[in-house]
Amino acid sequence: MKENISQHKLFLSLDAGASTLRQVVFAESGETLLFNKIEKGANISVNSEDTTKFIINSIDSFLYKNNCSFDDINHFSLGLAGISNKNSREMLFKRLDEKNITDRTYLTSDINPIFEMNCSDNSAVLVNVGTGSVCIGRDEAGKLVKMGGLGLDKDIGSGFWMGKEVILNLSFARDIEQDENEFSELLDMFKTHFKISETSEFLESVMKRDSRYAEISSIAVPLLNLAEDGNEIALSIVQQSSQCMADQIILLADQIAYPSTELLIIANGGILNNLLYRNSLVDALAFDFRSINWLFPSLSTAYYPGLFSCKILGIDTTIK
């Protein structure tokens, strides 16, 4: 790419979520030049010193491997989970200063740009259910309103929350009302997923790791599969999660005076890719909305911080 890089005004756009980091370099013309995905969480509120270092190093490595440098990029747009944490932001600014790119960098959350680029009014709400969870809408005055997104340990209904519910169910003796076979299925699912034979030692160690949020939330995928197979314990956890999210959506819709009984949801986060979960959420919302329509953004989340920056800068860019 180096030989013709001067022909382009370049944007590096990065989405750092709690489980995955994605980054892309695209030109003002909309041409995608580079893309990279790292299966590692990068919420900057979790061990901010190491996480911010990891983010900057990932950008450095990404550019270096493609025969580029920080000097080749005109604008950096970073969408970061945990950006509301003041101490973490200050640590990140320190890293940006070390690379001399602070004045070329725009910081935002990992979720806001997705909503901003897919809805310019109050005709839709964004619902994110991944490692964490959050709902975002816009009121009649154009102000963004958020429900949830309080932090990975506090986001009820999230993938991490679902994982903790699985652990809670397995941490005690089987409830007398729980079917013995279904409890065994849940335990086997847990052991198979983590490739372990003993749960107690694993749980003690995983809760001490910075990767605990991504690891524990990863249980949500096999849990949903188990629920689809009819396991009532798994289905109960899924339904509790969807009810928690429905409650947040209803409260958000009330606060922004959502203008219709037909709700349009911009869906984000891996859990909402599951049909059973979406149907459970629709059932939980059925009393308050006549119909639920879904919008799944077609672009990788890596693009949205950069595209949002382009919008703010008045640059009309459409990804090709």
Side-chain angles (χ1 to χ4, degrees), residues 165-166 169-170 174-175 177-187 223 226-227 230-240:
E165 287 297 306
V166 171
N169 273 270
L170 296 177
R174 178 176 62 87
D175 190 300
E177 296 182 358
Q178 292 177 328
D179 181 86
E180 184 176 355
N181 290 332
E182 293 190 339
F183 185 85
S184 295
E185 287 176 351
L186 189 71
L187 180 59
L223 178 72
L226 196 60
N231 184 289
E232 292 294 330
I233 304 174
L235 185 60
S236 175
I237 295 172
V238 172
Q239 290 174 335
Q240 290 177 62

Side-chain angles (χ1 to χ4, degrees), residues 292-303:
I292 307 295
N293 298 301
W294 299 93
L295 171 63
F296 289 88
S298 58
L299 289 174
S300 166
T301 53
Y303 287 94

Side-chain angles (χ1 to χ4, degrees), residues 154-283:
K154 300 177 182 179
D155 288 341
I156 58 174
S158 67
F160 181 63
W161 180 91
M162 293 169 72
K164 288 193 297 182
E165 287 297 306
V166 171
I167 291 170
L168 187 63
N169 273 270
L170 296 177
S171 296
F172 302 97
R174 178 176 62 87
D175 190 300
I176 194 171
E177 296 182 358
Q178 292 177 328
D179 181 86
E180 184 176 355
N181 290 332
E182 293 190 339
F183 185 85
S184 295
E185 287 176 351
L186 189 71
L187 180 59
D188 289 343
M189 176 271 290
F190 188 88
K191 290 181 176 179
T192 299
H193 178 66
F194 288 112
K195 300 177 182 178
I196 58 173
S197 57
E198 186 62 43
T199 59
S200 57
E201 290 184 8
F202 170 79
L203 291 176
E204 185 176 347
S205 64
V206 74
M207 292 307 294
K208 297 177 182 178
R209 297 199 285 264
D210 290 338
S211 61
R212 62 188 178 276
Y213 298 107
E215 290 188 65
I216 292 174
S217 68
S218 70
I219 306 171
V221 173
L223 178 72
L224 286 163
N225 293 336
L226 196 60
E228 289 172 339
D229 291 337
N231 184 289
E232 292 294 330
I233 304 174
L235 185 60
S236 175
I237 295 172
V238 172
Q239 290 174 335
Q240 290 177 62
S241 168
S242 62
Q243 184 62 59
C244 289
M245 295 309 302
D247 291 343
Q248 292 182 57
I249 293 169
I250 293 166
L251 184 58
L252 175 64
D254 181 63
Q255 289 205 9
I256 65 174
Y258 190 78
S260 174
T261 57
E262 297 181 357
L263 180 64
L264 176 59
I265 294 178
I266 303 168
N268 188 64
I271 290 172
L272 284 175
N273 290 327
N274 182 273
L275 181 59
L276 173 68
Y277 190 92
R278 293 201 306 275
N279 287 340
S280 181
L281 184 56
V282 169
D283 290 341

